[in-house]
Amino acid sequence: MKLTCHCTGRGMESNWLDSYYESLEFLYWEPQHVFPKSHTAVELETLAKIAKQPSRLPAVRKHLREMEVTLNHNIRQFFLLAPDALRNKLFNELFGLQFGSEFVMYGSEIDTDFKLANCMQPDFLFVSETEIVCIEMKIAAKCSVDQVLKYALLGLAIEIKQERQKEHYLVLLGSGDFVGMFRERFESMAKLTEHIRNKDLNSFLLNKPAPFRKQPERLKQIVEQMDMRFLSYGQFARFLGEAEPPQTDKSPGAEVYRNLISGLVAELNRRKLS
């Protein structure tokens, strides 16, 4: 199993994620391109001059490639480009089930589509006719019980919108092991599940939109039935390595797929997450 970028015959050629970070660096050097022309033009020009100081470059690059939000973008782009079957295979292996339905991955429209009123924003949301699979990712920050409950709330919001009950699944993607993902340091998924099921959902719902407050019993059912699994970045990288087409497959599609997988795995390695 290979967990590093395949560069045979390609020298030091950049991968697709390098180009993403180069784009961010450009916007750092030239911030005036993302701000409208106004009375702040002078301030932006000054900022641009400071940004272009050579001494700032290493710090900027390091910060960009340590941010959780940029890794979120990387994984989102990967899922958008990778075959849909890869999502199902990942879910199949994690939950020990056969997910045969086609999943739709939602983006920034989640809040408006499901009338969440900014009460939560998932990292990744996949919805099929019968299932909802969410992924909550963490790097250095800790996850909270309230965040888990918000994923159950999201599931309820989707059911209300689509007018049908679904099966609910949550993947906790983190570095290290499961114990270190929560401040409470739950020793097992069973302990986390027990703790969540004992939470006061009425208090949790107090400041949530009215449609959700009207269905506390269904929220309770979702909380009790939601299947949660932990996935480390190392396990994710190994899964991707196993999905990579063999080097003997010289077809254009296989080459693109290898580049896609090797780029993300290289980024996980570079961040020392795998």
Side-chain angles (χ1 to χ4, degrees), residues 213-241:
R213 296 199 303 272
K214 294 176 181 178
Q215 298 200 39
E217 289 305 315
R218 179 54 188 159
L219 179 63
K220 179 177 173 60
Q221 290 174 348
I222 293 172
V223 169
E224 292 177 345
Q225 296 168 6
M226 186 164 61
D227 193 344
M228 296 183 291
R229 302 298 168 99
F230 174 75
L231 176 68
S232 72
Y233 289 104
Q235 291 170 328
F236 185 40
R238 286 190 288 276
F239 167 80
L240 295 177

Side-chain angles (χ1 to χ4, degrees), residues 18 24 34 51 57 60 71 90 106 142 170 180-181 186 199 216-217 228 237 255:
D18 291 328
L24 294 185
V34 293
L57 179 58
V60 170
L71 183 60
L90 177 62
Y106 283 80
K142 300 296 184 183
L170 176 61
M181 189 156 188
F186 298 105
K199 291 290 289 184
E217 289 305 315
M228 296 183 291
E255 182 179 352

Side-chain angles (χ1 to χ4, degrees), residues 63-218:
H63 178 66
L64 287 173
R65 301 192 84 147
E66 289 179 348
M67 295 170 64
E68 184 176 292
V69 68
T70 52
L71 183 60
N72 182 293
H73 294 167
N74 299 159
I75 296 174
R76 179 172 299 280
Q77 289 171 320
F78 175 85
F79 278 130
L80 286 169
L81 293 168
D84 291 349
L86 182 75
R87 306 171 185 178
N88 289 56
K89 187 173 189 293
L90 177 62
F91 302 155
N92 291 347
E93 294 191 9
L94 278 172
F95 296 101
L97 301 170
Q98 288 299 313
F99 291 87
S101 303
E102 180 181 349
F103 283 95
V104 173
M105 184 170 75
Y106 283 80
S108 59
E109 72 280 9
I110 292 172
D111 189 78
T112 53
D113 274 6
F114 301 114
K115 302 185 187 317
L116 292 166
N118 295 313
C119 65
M120 78 93 59
Q121 178 62 42
D123 284 328
F124 301 96
L125 169 64
F126 303 88
V127 181
S128 74
E129 285 295 315
T130 53
E131 300 109 357
I132 298 170
V133 179
C134 298
I135 301 177
E136 169 69 12
M137 60 170 284
K138 295 294 183 187
I139 297 180
K142 300 296 184 183
C143 194
S144 70
V145 170
D146 258 21
Q147 282 180 304
V148 175
L149 290 177
K150 286 178 180 179
Y151 277 99
L153 188 74
L154 172 61
L156 176 60
I158 295 169
E159 288 188 352
I160 292 172
K161 168 76 173 183
Q162 299 188 354
E163 299 181 336
R164 64 177 301 172
Q165 293 189 2
K166 296 176 183 281
E167 299 296 321
H168 300 264
Y169 303 87
L170 176 61
V171 180
L172 300 170
L173 176 60
S175 55
D177 56 18
F178 170 73
V179 174
M181 189 156 188
F182 289 81
R183 291 189 183 90
E184 295 88 343
R185 297 188 66 81
F186 298 105
E187 62 187 50
S188 67
M189 188 64 75
K191 290 292 185 183
L192 170 62
T193 301
E194 179 184 3
H195 186 84
I196 289 171
R197 289 175 179 175
N198 289 328
K199 291 290 289 184
D200 182 354
L201 293 183
N202 289 323
S203 296
F204 171 75
L205 283 169
L206 279 178
N207 62 345
K208 303 303 185 292
F212 308 146
R213 296 199 303 272
K214 294 176 181 178
Q215 298 200 39
E217 289 305 315
R218 179 54 188 159

